[in-house]
Amino acid sequence: MRAPSIRSRLLYLVVACIVPASLMAILLIAYDYTQARTAFITGAMATARANATDVDKEFATVEAALRALATSPDLARNDLAAFYAQARGLAGAQNMLNIVLENAGGQQLLNTFVPYGAALPPPKVGQALRHIQQHEATAISNLFVGAVSQRHVASIGIPVRYATGEPDTVGALSATVTVERFNALLAQQSYPQHWITSILDREGIVVARSQDMQRFVGHQALPEVMKRMHEGFEGAIETSTLDGKPILAVMTRAGASGWTVGIGIPLEVLNAELNRKLWLLVLVTVVMLVASLLTAWRIGNRITQSIGALVAPAMALGRGEPVAAASYGLREANEVGNALVDAARMHALARHQATHDPLTGLPNRAMFCEFLERQVELCARSGAPLSLLYLDLDRFKHINDTYGHGAGDLLLTGAAARLRAELRKSDLAARLGGDEFAVVLVGSDAADTALVVAKLEISLGLPHRIEGHELVAGASIGVAMLPTPGSAPRKPVTAAELVADADDAMYRRKAERKFAARD
């Protein structure tokens, strides 16, 4: 699709001046109100479900500790004094108020809240013990006031077979936790300022509250909340707090304990925020009506911006950087931008031709020198190893004179291909001119370099199949390396010195190969 022209932009100006902005404001007000409620409900439900999971985790932690305690050999041996000491230590370590062992008749055999051997309450088969005996399963209580501690607590009990001479009789091992444990769970959360979070037991009794905990713990929730709890409702409702504040609340139930977590925000806070946004939107509407009179001026600015946006790609072209295709909002500006992209592509091609050997496609001497100088500086600072290989094809002149320049060119391209095949992407192979090549091995120590040299000598020494002839050239390779940390101190080595050392080493190697060939 073609971008609009300047003339069409001016036509759009006439249309923009007569569009009533008030309709947009009304739609935004309705949408914003809906979004605010939805955002609260979504966020609060996710938090409530996470808190409900945390409640079940608290009970699961206590249950796991009780099950480990139930395997105590002291309990199996009926050594209640030793078992009392073990249970008391566990209660302290797990932040439990106390641990109680009771038999099938509801008689407490020990209670870590009082000293061992002290008088204990009379027998009582409570609802939790009956549930444990009937189902032989874990029982989690509602909130109650402890008979011994006289504090608001909740308990979790597991079945234990404890009765001398009656192994099939089921008793209970229970742990009691205070409401402060659940209040601490809420205190760990980072709720928004006006959120009110409550934890309710299965009977709708307040166990913990993020605000006014001491005031409301032990109180029963309002009838509307109780009704929704008994219906198994999960979601958002408009209701009131216990102190009469209207709120928008969400409710969810914990799966294991059956307790409920509710989160609410006072409606006056929610409505105040919405009213603030309403007045803000009214102001925006007025501003939009005034702004429509200035649309012509703004479109003029838009044209200026489109032209100005071409400065950055033009500067990038001057620096030799790539220029990406983009839309500038106007057809004429887009055409100029596309021309800059084409110019950058041609510039990149010219730069490649200036830095690479046209025959072999390898970097040329100029690019090699620039790369080597940069690597020498980096290695001098970091202490990393660096090796330079200087290669000269041994029989190139003979092959070139005997079989022609075409064969010589094929020999050079074949040697370049073998060089690339044996090197890593981080290394650089370059053609310096004639039959001379250089290789920069980045991060290669003496052992790695020797391995590469051996591989190159084998690869370059293999025959080349050229114009029906098997031609063997081979290569003499000279090696020069930067001094490694810990070697004898000396002045810093420059790139030029490294090239000279590698060149000298190459001529020595060529002489050695000729001498070895005569032998």
Side-chain angles (χ1 to χ4, degrees):
M1 180 182 295
R2 298 179 66 184
S5 65
I6 296 176
R7 182 176 299 171
S8 63
R9 284 288 189 184
L10 294 177
L11 293 177
Y12 297 156
L13 167 63
V14 177
V15 177
C17 289
I18 62 174
V19 172
S22 57
L23 178 60
M24 178 63 71
I26 294 173
L27 293 175
L28 287 175
I29 291 170
Y31 178 76
D32 188 74
Y33 178 79
T34 303
Q35 287 296 102
R37 288 179 64 95
T38 302
F40 166 73
I41 293 172
T42 301
M45 279 300 298
T47 303
R49 290 188 179 111
N51 291 164
T53 301
D54 290 338
V55 170
D56 281 349
K57 285 182 180 179
E58 290 294 315
F59 283 120
T61 299
V62 176
E63 180 185 358
L66 289 176
R67 292 195 179 279
L69 180 63
T71 62
S72 170
D74 295 330
L75 180 61
R77 292 193 299 266
N78 198 26
D79 187 350
L80 293 184
F83 185 70
Y84 173 89
Q86 188 176 6
R88 188 177 179 85
L90 177 64
Q94 294 291 330
N95 192 24
M96 305 172 188
L97 180 64
N98 68 333
I99 294 177
V100 176
L101 175 65
E102 56 186 328
N103 62 19
Q107 176 62 56
Q108 292 188 8
L109 303 177
L110 61 83
N111 187 327
T112 61
F113 190 77
V114 298
Y116 180 72
L120 296 172
K124 179 182 178 182
V125 179
Q127 182 178 357
L129 180 57
R130 284 195 296 270
H131 176 87
I132 290 173
Q133 291 174 336
Q134 291 173 5
H135 303 283
E136 291 201 34
T138 301
I140 298 175
S141 75
N142 290 316
L143 190 69
F144 64 94
V145 177
V148 177
S149 67
Q150 294 300 306
R151 296 173 63 177
H152 283 103
V153 294
S155 69
I156 177 171
I158 63 171
V160 292
R161 296 188 178 278
Y162 179 83
T164 305
E166 298 180 18
D168 292 331
T169 303
V170 177
L173 181 63
S174 306
T176 304
V177 293
T178 64
V179 293
E180 284 76 15
R181 181 163 183 157
F182 299 99
N183 198 52
L185 186 151
L186 296 182
Q188 296 171 2
Q189 311 299 317
S190 299
Y191 299 115
Q193 180 180 0
H194 300 290
W195 283 21
I196 303 171
T197 305
S198 299
I199 300 176
L200 310 175
D201 67 11
R202 292 184 296 275
E203 297 299 324
I205 304 299
V206 177
V207 178
R209 200 171 189 267
S210 60
Q211 298 180 16
D212 297 329
M213 164 72 176
Q214 298 302 326
R215 180 182 173 187
F216 293 106
V217 66
H219 287 66
Q220 193 167 50
L222 293 176
E224 172 67 15
V225 176
M226 297 289 299
K227 177 175 179 293
R228 296 300 181 102
M229 286 179 58
H230 293 151
E231 292 172 352
F233 173 79
E234 180 176 272
I237 59 171
E238 286 193 12
T239 182
S240 300
T241 62
L242 288 173
D243 50 356
K245 292 181 181 179
I247 59 172
L248 174 63
V250 298
M251 300 169 51
T252 187
R253 176 173 293 182
S257 62
W259 287 16
T260 297
V261 175
I263 298 178
I265 180 174
L267 287 177
E268 63 178 3
V269 174
L270 184 61
N271 292 336
E273 179 68 12
L274 292 177
N275 288 335
R276 186 188 68 81
K277 291 181 178 180
L278 172 64
W279 285 109
L280 178 61
L281 287 173
V282 170
L283 177 62
V284 169
T285 301
V286 174
V287 172
M288 289 177 63
L289 290 174
V290 175
S292 63
L293 301 177
L294 303 175
T295 305
W297 180 81
R298 292 180 180 178
I299 289 182
N301 278 349
R302 183 68 186 89
I303 296 172
T304 301
Q305 292 171 2
S306 297
I307 302 302
L310 293 168
V311 173
M315 295 296 293
L317 174 62
R319 292 190 298 267
E321 299 174 356
V323 178
S327 175
Y328 300 94
L330 292 175
R331 183 193 312 162
E332 293 81 358
N334 287 348
E335 291 173 354
V336 175
N338 292 335
L340 291 176
V341 172
D342 293 338
R345 189 180 300 113
M346 290 185 290
H347 183 272
L349 177 61
R351 178 175 174 81
H352 181 273
Q353 292 173 343
T355 57
H356 286 73
D357 175 50
L359 176 63
T360 63
L362 293 177
N364 59 16
R365 180 181 290 273
M367 184 175 180
F368 161 76
C369 292
E370 180 182 347
F371 180 81
L372 180 61
E373 289 176 359
R374 185 167 61 250
Q375 292 301 319
V376 167
E377 292 175 0
L378 291 174
C379 292
R381 289 197 298 267
S382 65
L386 179 73
S387 297
L388 173 63
L389 311 184
Y390 205 102
L391 295 82
D392 183 85
L393 300 183
D394 292 335
R395 301 183 68 249
F396 174 74
K397 187 177 184 306
H398 170 75
I399 293 173
N400 199 50
D401 293 342
T402 303
Y403 298 98
H405 294 293
D409 289 347
L410 291 175
L411 178 63
L412 291 174
T413 56
R418 294 181 183 183
L419 276 177
R420 280 192 290 260
E422 297 295 341
L423 299 178
R424 303 168 301 179
K425 291 183 178 180
S426 58
D427 301 327
L428 176 78
R431 182 188 177 196
L432 304 184
D435 61 343
E436 293 184 345
F437 297 85
V439 175
V440 181
L441 301 178
V442 179
S444 293
D445 56 19
D448 293 335
T449 302
L451 180 61
V452 173
V453 170
K455 290 167 61 178
L456 289 178
E457 286 183 341
I458 293 173
S459 177
L460 295 174
L462 296 174
H464 295 264
R465 187 72 179 177
I466 298 175
E467 297 178 351
H469 303 284
E470 286 194 353
L471 305 180
V472 179
S476 297
I477 304 176
V479 180
M481 300 183 64
L482 285 181
T484 57
S487 60
R490 54 174 293 187
K491 68 176 183 178
V493 176
T494 66
E497 290 172 339
L498 201 64
V499 171
D501 290 346
D503 190 23
D504 291 342
M506 183 272 292
Y507 280 109
R508 289 195 299 271
R509 179 59 178 163
K510 184 178 286 290
E512 292 172 359
R513 289 166 64 87
K514 288 181 179 179
F515 182 78
R518 287 197 299 270
D519 288 346

